[in-house]
Amino acid sequence: MLGDNGIREIAVEDPGSLGVRQHLRHARLDTPPVPVDADGIRVDVLRAQGAPAVLVTPAHQFPTGVVLGGHRRRELTRWADAGGLIVEDDYDAEHRYDRPPVPALRSMLPERVAYVGSVSKLLAPALRIGWMIPPPPYRDAIVEAKRYADLGNAALPQLVLAHLMESGAMERQLRLLRTRHRRRRDAMIDAIGARLPGAVVHGAAAGLHLMVTFDAGFADTDLAAAALARGVKTQPLSWHSRARPQRPGLVLGYAARTATEIAEGVALLGDALRTVR
Ligand SMILES: Cc1ncc(COP(=O)(O)O)c(C=O)c1O
């Protein structure tokens, strides 16, 4: 649909999700990288780069875990006001541990933001239920594109989701998840402190994963392979980064494992780290 509207490139965060970039490439869009720092995407670089659209993860940047700072939000809003289109991937917004979730950019700028989210990190990725709230001028074209893509999603899981939302069960589930995830996150941070000397933890305030980086000069793909050989699946940070050189790192999910399993897994990662160092 972006292509139909003359948009051939959409800027993405760097580091940023490899999977998302592959999807955009599949839709024949160029994906110029824009660096992310401690406050989120560098809007000055985005402006200088000149792409007409950008895809961002403001609530919890993937993979760094940075939350887009207030000043950057305003800068990004001004960029969009001047004609830019924002695709807001709100993929982790509900999982915020230190304070209430940040409001979506869409709520501030409905005419310039296409908001996307899903139940993948609330209920299960296998449900394949998501939503988009596009800027009004794009709505009809998107409904039509969706129709021609797949004739629509299964109705039954959507009815179940509507029931969970209306009955308050979803809200209760989210409260339970927040407590459970915070415990698992803390277990992972403790285990990293004990078992991964020199690892720096990033992005702990929200989300379902941590990013860790290391100073040592080894390839994070080697570390991930050594961990996998011990039964621990991680993602090397370099998969999600295009800027070189960069520090080696890993993306570690903690939501789906108990605190005991997390401690065991990080201990195995410690073994793997010794071999690659
Ligand atoms: C940053 C980010 N956005 C979007 C997605 C897409 O997830 P889904 O299609 O399951 O909602 C993922 C998947 O892991 C992701 O990491």
Side-chain angles (χ1 to χ4, degrees):
M1 196 277 304
L2 291 176
D4 290 347
N5 282 273
I7 294 180
R8 307 264 172 257
E9 57 173 2
I10 176 165
V12 294
E13 298 159 325
D14 185 34
S17 165
L18 170 66
V20 168
R21 200 162 72 236
Q22 287 170 336
H23 274 267
L24 297 170
R25 296 287 310 144
H26 185 73
R28 297 195 181 82
L29 289 160
D30 284 336
T31 56
V34 177
V36 169
D37 65 17
D39 287 322
I41 189 163
R42 289 269 309 274
V43 182
D44 56 328
V45 179
L46 171 67
R47 194 175 291 114
Q49 196 280 329
V54 67
L55 189 144
V56 285
T57 49
H60 185 239
Q61 203 273 331
F62 185 89
T64 64
V66 166
V67 180
L68 189 66
H71 174 68
R72 288 286 166 80
R73 287 171 73 91
R74 287 188 290 279
E75 248 190 305
L76 190 58
T77 306
R78 279 198 295 275
W79 172 84
D81 254 339
L85 179 71
I86 299 173
V87 179
E88 179 174 26
D89 180 0
D90 207 24
Y91 84 107
D92 239 356
E94 299 83 0
H95 304 291
R96 177 96 205 204
Y97 305 114
D98 54 345
R99 57 186 168 96
V102 281
L105 287 172
R106 177 65 167 58
S107 63
M108 294 151 61
L109 206 61
E111 294 298 320
R112 304 302 313 161
V113 180
Y115 175 91
V116 296
S118 80
V119 300
S120 291
K121 292 177 176 71
L122 292 173
L123 295 174
L127 282 171
R128 310 312 303 148
I129 299 180
W131 43 83
M132 173 185 286
I133 313 174
Y138 292 111
R139 187 188 173 280
D140 291 349
I142 285 175
V143 170
E144 188 176 273
K146 172 71 175 153
R147 175 182 167 218
Y148 287 117
D150 60 9
L151 282 181
N153 293 66
L156 190 56
Q158 296 183 66
L159 292 171
V160 172
L161 177 64
H163 175 73
L164 291 176
M165 287 174 162
E166 281 160 11
S167 67
M170 187 80 154
E171 203 46 50
R172 284 196 295 282
Q173 159 79 357
L174 194 50
R175 278 200 294 274
L176 182 138
L177 285 182
R178 266 194 208 114
T179 313
R180 181 192 291 166
H181 289 155
R182 190 185 293 128
R183 207 166 47 235
R184 292 177 175 186
R185 175 198 68 168
D186 292 346
M188 185 171 264
I189 292 173
D190 288 349
I192 290 169
R195 301 288 190 158
L196 301 182
V200 180
V201 174
H202 309 261
L208 305 181
H209 74 270
L210 298 175
M211 182 177 93
V212 293
T213 53
F214 304 88
D215 272 335
F218 57 84
D220 54 19
T221 44
D222 290 344
L223 176 56
L228 190 59
R230 288 163 175 77
V232 179
K233 194 170 186 181
T234 65
Q235 291 191 359
L237 178 58
S238 55
W239 280 5
H240 302 292
S241 307
R242 283 189 281 174
R244 299 281 186 276
Q246 42 129 33
R247 281 184 294 172
L250 293 177
V251 179
L252 303 174
Y254 52 76
R257 296 289 166 190
T258 64
T260 309
E261 289 170 328
I262 288 169
E264 287 167 7
V266 175
L268 290 168
L269 257 183
D271 289 344
L273 183 60
R274 275 191 292 281
T275 64
V276 298
R277 268 183 173 155

